[in-house]
Amino acid sequence: YTSAWSVPLPNGGRISLDDGILRIGLQDMSKLPDMPRQDQRISTTTRNSIQIRDTGTIKGFGAYSTSSLDKHEFLGFYQGERITASEEGRRPANNNNNRDYILSLDGGMTFIDGYVPAQDRTVFTPAHLNHVDKGDDGCNCLRILEDGRVAFFTSRPITEGEELCFDYGGNYWKGREIDKM
C-alpha cells in the first residue's frame, strides 16, 4: 500500500508523503528554478564553460568556470548508482575515499553514489562540485531534490575562474567534523 500527497505550507514551503517518506520543505520554492525534465541535459555551452582541475588544496579536484555563467544555469543531475542505507553502510572507504561521492536523496534511506562519474575528469558532472558552507560567498550552486532526482544550478551569476561549490549539508559531515573544509 503506497500513499502519496503534497500540501503547501505558509511562505511557499511544502510537506509531502511519497513511498513512505515524509518530506518537509520550508524554503519558498517560487524563487528557485523549476526542476528540469528527466531527459534534460546540461547545455553544450555550459558544459564547455566548466573545467575540472586540481584545486591545489585538500579538496583535490574541483569544477571551475572558464567563462561567465548566468544565475540559475542548469548544471545537470547528480548521476551514479542508487543504493540503500544498508548498502551505503557496507561500502568501505578505500584509498580513493569513494564514500565522499555518496549523496542522500531522502535524509538517509536512499543514496546516489557518484564515485564512478567523478573519476572522469574530462567531462563535468555535479559530482565534481566541492563543499563551501551556505552563506559563504563561495557557495554559488544549489541543488533541488524532487522525485528521486537531484538537479544542480548556479545560485548567482558566476564569473570566469570561479570554483563551483555547494553546501553538502550537516548530515554529510556527521562523524567527520574534523575533516570539514
Side-chain angles (χ1 to χ4, degrees), residues 44-112:
T44 302
T45 302
T46 300
R47 185 178 303 278
N48 291 339
S49 297
I50 301 172
Q51 179 184 56
I52 310 309
R53 65 179 191 239
D54 194 330
T55 64
T57 70
I58 194 169
K59 292 180 180 183
F61 286 83
Y64 290 82
S65 64
T66 59
S67 61
S68 61
L69 296 171
D70 293 331
K71 180 178 181 176
H72 293 168
E73 188 75 37
F74 177 58
L75 300 175
F77 291 106
Y78 201 84
Q79 301 290 321
E81 179 187 2
R82 283 184 186 261
I83 58 174
T84 65
S86 61
E87 290 171 305
E88 189 273 338
R90 288 193 306 264
R91 292 199 175 204
N94 61 24
N95 291 338
N96 297 319
N97 212 4
N98 64 2
R99 294 182 75 192
D100 286 349
Y101 298 97
I102 295 175
L103 187 104
S104 175
L105 291 175
D106 50 21
M109 298 299 293
T110 313
F111 301 85
I112 299 176

Side-chain angles (χ1 to χ4, degrees), residues 93-146:
N94 61 24
N95 291 338
N96 297 319
N97 212 4
N98 64 2
R99 294 182 75 192
D100 286 349
Y101 298 97
I102 295 175
L103 187 104
S104 175
L105 291 175
D106 50 21
M109 298 299 293
T110 313
F111 301 85
I112 299 176
D113 185 349
Y115 176 76
V116 171
Q119 300 317 296
D120 182 355
R121 295 186 184 114
T122 63
V123 178
F124 167 77
T125 76
H128 294 116
L129 299 174
N130 282 321
H131 168 80
V132 169
D133 285 335
K134 190 174 186 176
D136 184 305
D137 190 50
C139 187
N140 53 22
C141 296
L142 59 92
R143 63 182 164 181
I144 298 177
L145 287 77
E146 187 177 294

